Amino acid sequence: MTKPSYLKKNIAMMAIFGMTLGGNAFAQGNLDKAEIKADMVAALEWQEAHPIFAAAPTDWTNGAYYTGVARAHRATNDMMYMAALKTAGYNNDWNTYDRIYHADDIAISYSYLYVDMTEKRKGMVDLAPTTKFINEHLYVPNQWSNPAKKGGVQDILWWWCDALFMAPPVITLYAKHTGDNSYLEAMHKFYMESYDKLYDKEEHLFARDARYVWTGSDKDEKEANGKKIFWSRGNGWVLAGLALMLEDLPSDYEHRDFYEKLYQDMAARILELQDKDGLWRTSLLSPESFDHGEVSGSGFYTFAFAWGINNGLLEQSTYLPSVKKAWTALAECQHEDGRVGWVQNIGASPEPASQDSWQNFGTGAFLMAGSEVIQLLDK
Amino acid sequence: MTKPSYLKKNIAMMAIFGMTLGGNAFAQGNLDKAEIKADMVAALEWQEAHPIFAAAPTDWTNGAYYTGVARAHRATNDMMYMAALKTAGYNNDWNTYDRIYHADDIAISYSYLYVDMTEKRKGMVDLAPTTKFINEHLYVPNQWSNPAKKGGVQDILWWWCDALFMAPPVITLYAKHTGDNSYLEAMHKFYMESYDKLYDKEEHLFARDARYVWTGSDKDEKEANGKKIFWSRGNGWVLAGLALMLEDLPSDYEHRDFYEKLYQDMAARILELQDKDGLWRTSLLSPESFDHGEVSGSGFYTFAFAWGINNGLLEQSTYLPSVKKAWTALAECQHEDGRVGWVQNIGASPEPASQDSWQNFGTGAFLMAGSEVIQLLDK
Amino acid sequence: MTKPSYLKKNIAMMAIFGMTLGGNAFAQGNLDKAEIKADMVAALEWQEAHPIFAAAPTDWTNGAYYTGVARAHRATNDMMYMAALKTAGYNNDWNTYDRIYHADDIAISYSYLYVDMTEKRKGMVDLAPTTKFINEHLYVPNQWSNPAKKGGVQDILWWWCDALFMAPPVITLYAKHTGDNSYLEAMHKFYMESYDKLYDKEEHLFARDARYVWTGSDKDEKEANGKKIFWSRGNGWVLAGLALMLEDLPSDYEHRDFYEKLYQDMAARILELQDKDGLWRTSLLSPESFDHGEVSGSGFYTFAFAWGINNGLLEQSTYLPSVKKAWTALAECQHEDGRVGWVQNIGASPEPASQDSWQNFGTGAFLMAGSEVIQLLDK
């Protein structure tokens, strides 16, 4: 092709757009609902045209993506999302991924449960693999859930904080769908193990896993500025996961207060760490490490904040300006062809992203954020 | 994205385009063949990028869509259509859908038969599932085809008029392909049952099913204006199905006159019901119920009319103005990205559509219409 | 749609573009790396959205295409290519196509081997079908490899020159990956059979198969101008295959000199046959038969020339002008939507192409060419 590339706005153009459109919109406090919906559809269309996985189409990357697609359908009722959900589920034969001991491998079932609870056609979704996974994951001891092996990094079932997005919201939705709240008790036990091991009660943030928890030793992992390593996406998994759980936990659930408080405490801390351009850096306490916005963590935070306003758990006057600023900036990370850029690749700690870097779970975070932002505009 | 939505022409723009391009084209009686072909390809590309199904990729929605793709290939010989047909068939393992008693579930085989009869590579298409389905559907009694159960809405095999698109054209093509015309006799028996039960000999239209046939009772279903409920897409299924059948029925077929007359009688009545903007409303006798054009019914009518002119069964001077007007209006229902909008969703009676509403079978109707219109331009 | 077609530049526009952009670029001897990368991504995106096969997704057409995708990933490290490779392999269950005696049916394994050797995640690629195929293809006698059947067109294993792209580079890469160089000996035996039968030592070109080898009989196949029939894509398969092989053959491999000389001799002859517009005609010695550039053959030549410069086997001063001219012309064959046009369809001898004609293996050739051209620009 001899025409100039149509795929990307360059940084300069983004700055111009930001001034002329996004900037004004934010200055005026206005976001356009139809524009957000169109951006979301464009993100879906681009992602569906660019299938990707780490291990298989049923893996956690698609789990997070299709959770975003499900949330987008819930918010808009646009059948384009439902068509994508059904097509993916059908092609997956409604299977989870393989490792029954691994929270990642049940994340895809959030979308299956959503389809089963939403689609009028009965019997289309086969929930048997989901049921089998959840029952074995929670109730059949393995080398991770067996406390006899205490001590190492992987000595609990959900030993990395991402797991708190991958499994608990699915278990919560499954309990709601089946009406069997005993699943919540089993879940809470494992959640508390992660909380006790990884939650930093001073910072109100989660270490990604035990390697990043300070022990007072000289060997503790540190940022160049001497601070603790708190990964943006890692905390995004937790905070977004909490919002998803809180939506579906019974109002009289015994430990609901615990999850509400954790969600509010984390949100308050995350709010302080937002950069002035509206996006969070990959290293929360060392923004200078990679000093640019990153979309997956920022998308999950934006979702969680907007959800909290929409559901009365966060103060609108405090969080709304942050949400507007964040969405405006997230939208500027989307290419004209729909690609959601500035997504940190698969990893376990802060790494840089770029305008072109993308991943399905980044698109999922974008869709989750947009889904709550448009509901916010209805208020 | 901060740019304005690129996905849709709004109504105002459609009106403007209609005046400046479509309107002129129609006023001058001109349609541009290359433009129609490009619109058809864009429709295919959009639909392939947005897979959708009701129950499975082999269901009737895809059956109708891929019938349109097959017709588009037949009319243009553009390998893009054949690539899509082969890919879909391969991914379906050349299976029908499941319910052997249900006409819907054999519709997909029209495309399989077309590929087998057209593609030079031998042995690629597996017609065994098609053969099995047709043989059991026609010859093994079930609770629908068993006359002992007379009386209710579903007391005949093809108890809803959509069925007359789903099965008879496939059976006709199968008889042609195998050279075994005994299938036509079995088909005719079931066709006549539907005709006797659902065809309104005064209106020359089909009731969708027995619920919409007037019995003289106060409980008869009526439109708000007191008229009978004749569904546009429902009659589109029948009329387009008749054109498909007539193409493949032997010239000396015993009941050919019956089908030709039915086709001509219905066409004459449908012609009267076309709205001045070129499109039909979802409720044929109550256009004011939802007073906008609808693409699936209109597309099937346009196909059937153009096919009739092309094949000498309808008078060109009578039907050509209608076809040109209809195609011009259909083309204006397509979004710039290829999406065919204004399609009523899955249903059984008149319901509204919208600029954004789409379905694969609507795209199929659009492709069927375009396929005959471009052949008309060759005359 | 009432807007003008956005799919194609017409010839006039191509000429204009050529003058203003491509023409200038070539006149100045400049190629823009970012533009080439964007064109390659657009080609991938278009092709992924238009899946096509002759017999199955594992057939040689996809084998050649995904070889191009693998080369593009190797050259750019753009994860978009790896996502496509993994998705295709996963959907194929890492299978070859069926005919164990047929070189075509192992071509897809080049991409499987590439993923296995490149992707960090272990155990994702199942190489068992590849291993089984290569072992049986090389070591289990069949009616082609059995010399008892000498005499006809198909009396050797690799009886058509395309086969020298389909199997030998895969076997070479497999030998490298497994470290078992005994495969190279078996390969060489079959390669020499093809060379002896099909290579024209005067013209330094391959006949497509024995039907095109001159015997001195009046019945020899001739072009209208009385010359031998040498097919552009056929020789493209051989020359590109040689470049792929030479990359992976051990530096001390016994027959390496033979392959280097064959590669250099053919390249020198092909260089002479390039048309002044930068592209080769489908009939190498009868360019007037179909006097327009064709992309699959030209793409393979461009790849092979640029690879030779990059790897010190071809003289930069001699081949660089040809490569630049060729790439500039190849890029002008790409439509604005990414489609690579001017590709001769599946065949066995020179036939015409058109602006719209495309095939996945043509896209593969385009990607292979671009992959080496961008590396050339790094030098």
Side-chain angles (χ1 to χ4, degrees):
Chain A
M1 285 189 298
T2 46
K3 68 177 184 57
S5 166
Y6 57 85
L7 290 178
K8 320 163 193 173
K9 296 172 271 192
N10 62 31
I11 300 287
M13 284 184 63
M14 287 177 65
I16 292 167
F17 269 94
M19 278 194 298
T20 57
L21 292 177
N24 276 355
F26 173 59
Q28 297 161 12
N30 293 330
L31 291 174
D32 182 69
K33 196 169 164 180
E35 189 182 325
I36 298 172
K37 283 188 177 181
D39 288 354
M40 289 168 63
V41 166
L44 173 86
E45 291 181 305
W46 192 91
Q47 193 58 67
E48 289 294 308
H50 296 80
I52 190 169
F53 56 79
T58 50
D59 69 16
W60 66 270
T61 69
N62 283 288
Y65 168 50
Y66 284 107
T67 298
V69 177
R71 300 298 298 188
H73 183 263
R74 183 178 171 281
T76 65
N77 210 28
D78 187 330
M79 62 192 271
M80 205 174 285
Y81 298 109
M82 183 53 82
L85 289 166
K86 288 168 63 177
T87 296
Y90 184 91
N91 288 339
N92 288 340
D93 213 6
W94 309 102
N95 277 313
T96 66
Y97 190 48
D98 296 347
R99 300 163 302 170
I100 218 96
Y101 61 85
H102 205 299
D104 282 359
D105 298 4
I106 190 66
I108 191 72
S109 289
Y110 187 93
S111 60
Y112 302 163
L113 287 162
Y114 178 78
V115 175
D116 196 57
M117 295 167 80
T118 309
E119 166 77 9
K120 290 194 196 80
R121 182 176 288 269
K122 291 303 161 204
M124 193 178 64
V125 179
D126 177 9
L127 287 181
T130 296
T131 297
K132 180 174 185 297
F133 191 110
I134 291 176
N135 282 323
E136 294 196 18
H137 187 70
L138 290 178
Y139 299 119
V140 179
N142 57 45
Q143 60 168 311
W144 286 265
S145 57
N146 183 340
K149 195 182 156 281
K150 287 277 180 203
V153 169
Q154 300 191 14
D155 70 339
I156 55 175
L157 185 63
W158 298 337
W159 55 266
W160 72 115
C161 71
D162 319 29
L164 303 183
F165 179 95
M166 305 301 166
V170 178
I171 295 166
T172 304
L173 190 56
Y174 185 80
K176 182 180 186 176
H177 190 31
T178 59
D180 182 348
N181 288 334
S182 65
Y183 288 104
L184 303 179
E185 291 315 297
M187 175 187 82
H188 185 65
K189 182 188 70 176
F190 292 120
Y191 203 105
M192 289 308 294
E193 285 184 355
S194 298
Y195 172 87
D196 290 339
K197 183 155 191 165
L198 303 178
Y199 188 58
D200 188 309
K201 293 191 180 63
E202 289 169 16
E203 292 289 354
H204 290 183
L205 296 171
F206 270 81
R208 196 273 179 177
D209 59 51
R211 292 173 295 176
Y212 302 97
V213 174
W214 277 14
T215 63
S217 155
D218 284 353
K219 293 180 181 161
D220 287 342
E221 296 267 6
K222 288 184 175 59
E223 291 288 359
N225 64 8
K227 301 212 172 153
K228 294 178 184 172
I229 301 174
F230 289 110
W231 183 34
S232 180
R233 182 160 69 234
N235 282 277
W237 291 127
V238 181
L239 193 65
L242 283 164
L244 292 174
M245 291 167 69
L246 287 168
E247 183 166 295
D248 293 319
L249 285 174
S251 56
D252 62 352
Y253 172 56
E254 177 184 2
H255 304 292
R256 189 173 174 96
D257 288 349
F258 166 79
Y259 290 105
E260 287 192 1
K261 182 171 188 312
L262 178 59
Y263 163 75
Q264 288 167 326
D265 286 351
M266 285 186 72
R269 181 67 179 120
I270 297 290
L271 179 66
E272 295 170 353
L273 297 168
Q274 186 178 26
D275 195 273
K276 63 181 183 300
D277 67 7
L279 299 178
W280 286 261
R281 281 32 187 166
T282 55
S283 184
L284 290 173
L285 302 190
S286 176
E288 65 274 20
S289 293
F290 310 108
D291 197 10
H292 55 73
E294 192 279 332
V295 159
S296 64
S298 299
F300 289 133
Y301 298 151
T302 307
F303 162 74
F305 285 5
W307 182 89
I309 303 170
N310 286 329
N311 291 277
L313 283 174
L314 295 180
E315 195 65 49
Q316 174 159 336
S317 59
T318 307
Y319 285 89
L320 185 59
S322 163
V323 168
K324 287 186 171 178
K325 201 169 168 178
W327 179 263
T328 302
L330 285 170
E332 285 175 359
C333 293
Q334 186 178 31
H335 296 216
E336 285 202 23
D337 65 353
R339 184 204 301 208
V340 177
W342 292 107
V343 177
Q344 184 190 333
N345 208 337
I346 296 174
S349 61
E351 296 289 345
S354 76
Q355 190 189 357
D356 284 348
S357 60
W358 60 281
Q359 265 290 357
N360 46 2
F361 52 80
T363 308
F366 184 89
L367 290 174
M368 289 176 74
S371 300
E372 291 297 324
V373 171
I374 58 172
Q375 292 178 71
L376 198 57
L377 297 177
D378 288 332
K379 290 177 84 82
Chain B
M1 286 190 299
T2 46
K3 68 180 183 56
S5 166
Y6 56 85
L7 290 177
K8 320 163 193 172
K9 298 174 271 195
N10 61 30
I11 301 288
M13 284 184 64
M14 288 177 64
I16 292 167
F17 269 95
M19 278 194 296
T20 56
L21 291 178
N24 276 356
F26 172 58
Q28 297 160 14
N30 292 330
L31 292 174
D32 183 68
K33 196 169 163 180
E35 190 182 324
I36 299 172
K37 283 188 178 181
D39 289 353
M40 290 168 64
V41 166
L44 174 84
E45 291 180 305
W46 192 90
Q47 193 59 68
E48 289 294 309
H50 295 81
I52 190 169
F53 56 79
T58 51
D59 68 18
W60 66 270
T61 70
N62 283 288
Y65 168 51
Y66 284 108
T67 297
V69 177
R71 300 298 299 188
H73 183 264
R74 183 178 172 282
T76 64
N77 210 29
D78 187 331
M79 60 193 273
M80 205 173 285
Y81 299 109
M82 184 53 83
L85 289 166
K86 288 168 63 178
T87 296
Y90 184 91
N91 287 339
N92 289 339
D93 213 7
W94 311 102
N95 277 313
T96 66
Y97 190 48
D98 296 347
R99 299 164 302 171
I100 219 96
Y101 60 86
H102 205 300
D104 282 358
D105 297 4
I106 191 66
I108 191 73
S109 288
Y110 187 94
S111 60
Y112 301 163
L113 287 162
Y114 177 79
V115 175
D116 196 57
M117 296 167 81
T118 309
E119 167 77 8
K120 290 195 197 79
R121 180 176 289 267
K122 291 302 161 205
M124 194 178 63
V125 180
D126 176 10
L127 287 181
T130 296
T131 297
K132 180 174 186 298
F133 191 109
I134 291 175
N135 282 324
E136 295 195 17
H137 186 70
L138 291 178
Y139 299 118
V140 179
N142 56 46
Q143 59 168 314
W144 287 265
S145 57
N146 184 340
K149 193 183 156 283
K150 286 278 182 203
V153 170
Q154 300 191 16
D155 70 339
I156 55 175
L157 186 63
W158 298 336
W159 55 266
W160 72 115
C161 70
D162 319 28
L164 303 183
F165 179 95
M166 305 303 165
V170 178
I171 295 167
T172 304
L173 190 57
Y174 185 78
K176 183 181 186 176
H177 190 32
T178 59
D180 183 349
N181 288 335
S182 65
Y183 289 103
L184 302 179
E185 291 316 297
M187 175 187 82
H188 185 65
K189 183 187 71 177
F190 292 120
Y191 203 104
M192 289 308 294
E193 285 184 353
S194 298
Y195 173 86
D196 290 340
K197 183 154 192 165
L198 303 178
Y199 188 58
D200 188 309
K201 292 190 180 63
E202 290 170 14
E203 291 289 355
H204 290 182
L205 296 171
F206 270 79
R208 196 273 180 176
D209 59 51
R211 292 173 295 176
Y212 302 97
V213 174
W214 276 14
T215 63
S217 154
D218 284 353
K219 294 183 183 162
D220 286 342
E221 295 268 6
K222 286 183 176 59
E223 291 288 359
N225 65 8
K227 301 211 172 155
K228 292 178 184 171
I229 300 174
F230 288 111
W231 182 33
S232 180
R233 182 159 70 234
N235 281 277
W237 291 127
V238 180
L239 192 66
L242 283 164
L244 292 175
M245 289 167 68
L246 287 168
E247 183 166 293
D248 294 320
L249 284 174
S251 57
D252 61 353
Y253 171 57
E254 179 183 2
H255 304 294
R256 188 173 175 95
D257 288 349
F258 166 79
Y259 290 105
E260 287 193 1
K261 181 170 188 312
L262 177 60
Y263 164 76
Q264 287 166 326
D265 286 351
M266 284 186 73
R269 181 67 179 117
I270 298 289
L271 180 66
E272 296 170 354
L273 297 168
Q274 186 178 27
D275 195 273
K276 62 181 185 300
D277 67 7
L279 298 178
W280 286 260
R281 279 34 187 163
T282 54
S283 184
L284 290 173
L285 302 190
S286 177
E288 65 274 20
S289 294
F290 310 107
D291 196 10
H292 56 74
E294 192 279 333
V295 159
S296 64
S298 300
F300 289 133
Y301 298 152
T302 308
F303 162 74
F305 285 6
W307 181 89
I309 303 170
N310 286 329
N311 290 277
L313 283 176
L314 295 180
E315 196 65 51
Q316 175 159 335
S317 59
T318 308
Y319 286 87
L320 186 58
S322 162
V323 168
K324 287 186 172 178
K325 200 169 168 178
W327 178 263
T328 302
L330 286 170
E332 285 175 359
C333 294
Q334 186 178 31
H335 296 215
E336 286 202 22
D337 65 353
R339 184 205 300 209
V340 177
W342 291 106
V343 177
Q344 184 190 332
N345 209 338
I346 296 174
S349 62
E351 296 289 345
S354 76
Q355 190 189 357
D356 283 348
S357 61
W358 60 281
Q359 265 291 358
N360 46 2
F361 53 79
T363 308
F366 184 89
L367 290 174
M368 290 177 72
S371 299
E372 290 297 324
V373 172
I374 58 172
Q375 292 179 71
L376 198 58
L377 297 177
D378 288 334
K379 291 175 83 83
Chain C
M1 284 189 299
T2 46
K3 69 178 183 57
S5 166
Y6 58 89
L7 289 177
K8 320 163 193 173
K9 295 172 273 193
N10 62 29
I11 301 288
M13 283 183 65
M14 288 177 64
I16 292 167
F17 268 95
M19 278 194 297
T20 55
L21 292 177
N24 276 357
F26 172 59
Q28 297 160 13
N30 292 331
L31 293 174
D32 182 69
K33 197 170 163 180
E35 191 182 324
I36 299 172
K37 283 188 178 180
D39 289 354
M40 290 168 63
V41 166
L44 173 85
E45 291 180 304
W46 191 90
Q47 194 59 67
E48 289 293 309
H50 296 80
I52 190 170
F53 56 79
T58 50
D59 69 17
W60 66 270
T61 70
N62 282 289
Y65 167 50
Y66 285 107
T67 298
V69 177
R71 300 299 298 187
H73 183 263
R74 183 179 171 280
T76 64
N77 210 29
D78 187 331
M79 61 191 272
M80 206 174 282
Y81 298 110
M82 184 54 82
L85 289 166
K86 288 168 64 177
T87 296
Y90 184 91
N91 287 338
N92 289 339
D93 213 6
W94 310 102
N95 277 313
T96 65
Y97 190 47
D98 295 347
R99 299 163 302 171
I100 219 97
Y101 60 85
H102 206 301
D104 283 359
D105 297 4
I106 190 66
I108 192 71
S109 289
Y110 188 93
S111 60
Y112 302 164
L113 286 162
Y114 178 78
V115 174
D116 196 57
M117 295 167 82
T118 308
E119 166 77 9
K120 289 194 197 80
R121 181 177 287 267
K122 291 302 162 205
M124 193 177 64
V125 180
D126 177 9
L127 286 181
T130 296
T131 297
K132 180 173 186 298
F133 191 108
I134 291 176
N135 281 324
E136 295 194 18
H137 187 70
L138 290 177
Y139 299 118
V140 180
N142 56 46
Q143 60 169 311
W144 288 264
S145 58
N146 184 341
K149 194 181 156 282
K150 287 278 181 202
V153 169
Q154 300 191 15
D155 71 338
I156 55 175
L157 185 63
W158 299 335
W159 55 266
W160 73 115
C161 71
D162 319 28
L164 303 182
F165 179 94
M166 305 303 166
V170 178
I171 296 166
T172 306
L173 190 57
Y174 185 79
K176 183 180 185 176
H177 189 31
T178 59
D180 182 349
N181 288 334
S182 65
Y183 289 104
L184 302 179
E185 290 317 297
M187 173 187 83
H188 184 66
K189 184 188 70 178
F190 293 120
Y191 202 106
M192 290 308 294
E193 285 184 355
S194 298
Y195 172 87
D196 290 340
K197 183 154 191 166
L198 303 178
Y199 188 59
D200 188 310
K201 293 192 180 60
E202 289 171 15
E203 290 289 355
H204 290 182
L205 296 171
F206 270 79
R208 196 273 181 176
D209 59 51
R211 292 173 295 175
Y212 302 97
V213 174
W214 277 14
T215 63
S217 154
D218 285 352
K219 294 180 182 161
D220 286 341
E221 296 267 8
K222 287 185 176 56
E223 291 288 359
N225 64 8
K227 301 213 172 153
K228 294 178 184 171
I229 300 174
F230 288 111
W231 182 34
S232 180
R233 182 160 69 235
N235 281 278
W237 291 126
V238 181
L239 193 65
L242 283 163
L244 292 174
M245 290 167 70
L246 286 167
E247 183 166 293
D248 294 319
L249 285 173
S251 56
D252 62 352
Y253 172 58
E254 180 183 0
H255 304 293
R256 187 172 176 96
D257 288 349
F258 166 79
Y259 291 105
E260 288 192 359
K261 183 171 185 314
L262 178 60
Y263 163 75
Q264 288 167 327
D265 287 351
M266 285 187 72
R269 182 66 181 120
I270 298 290
L271 179 66
E272 296 171 354
L273 298 168
Q274 186 178 26
D275 195 272
K276 62 181 184 301
D277 68 7
L279 299 178
W280 286 260
R281 278 38 186 161
T282 55
S283 185
L284 291 174
L285 301 190
S286 177
E288 65 275 20
S289 293
F290 309 107
D291 197 9
H292 56 73
E294 192 279 332
V295 159
S296 65
S298 300
F300 289 133
Y301 298 152
T302 307
F303 162 73
F305 285 6
W307 181 89
I309 303 170
N310 286 329
N311 290 276
L313 284 174
L314 297 180
E315 196 64 51
Q316 174 159 337
S317 59
T318 307
Y319 286 89
L320 186 58
S322 163
V323 168
K324 287 186 171 178
K325 201 169 166 176
W327 179 262
T328 302
L330 286 170
E332 286 175 0
C333 294
Q334 187 179 31
H335 296 215
E336 285 202 25
D337 66 353
R339 184 205 300 211
V340 177
W342 292 106
V343 177
Q344 184 190 332
N345 208 338
I346 296 174
S349 62
E351 297 289 345
S354 76
Q355 189 189 357
D356 284 348
S357 61
W358 60 280
Q359 265 290 359
N360 46 2
F361 52 80
T363 308
F366 183 88
L367 291 175
M368 289 177 73
S371 299
E372 290 297 325
V373 171
I374 58 171
Q375 291 179 70
L376 198 57
L377 297 177
D378 288 333
K379 290 175 85 82

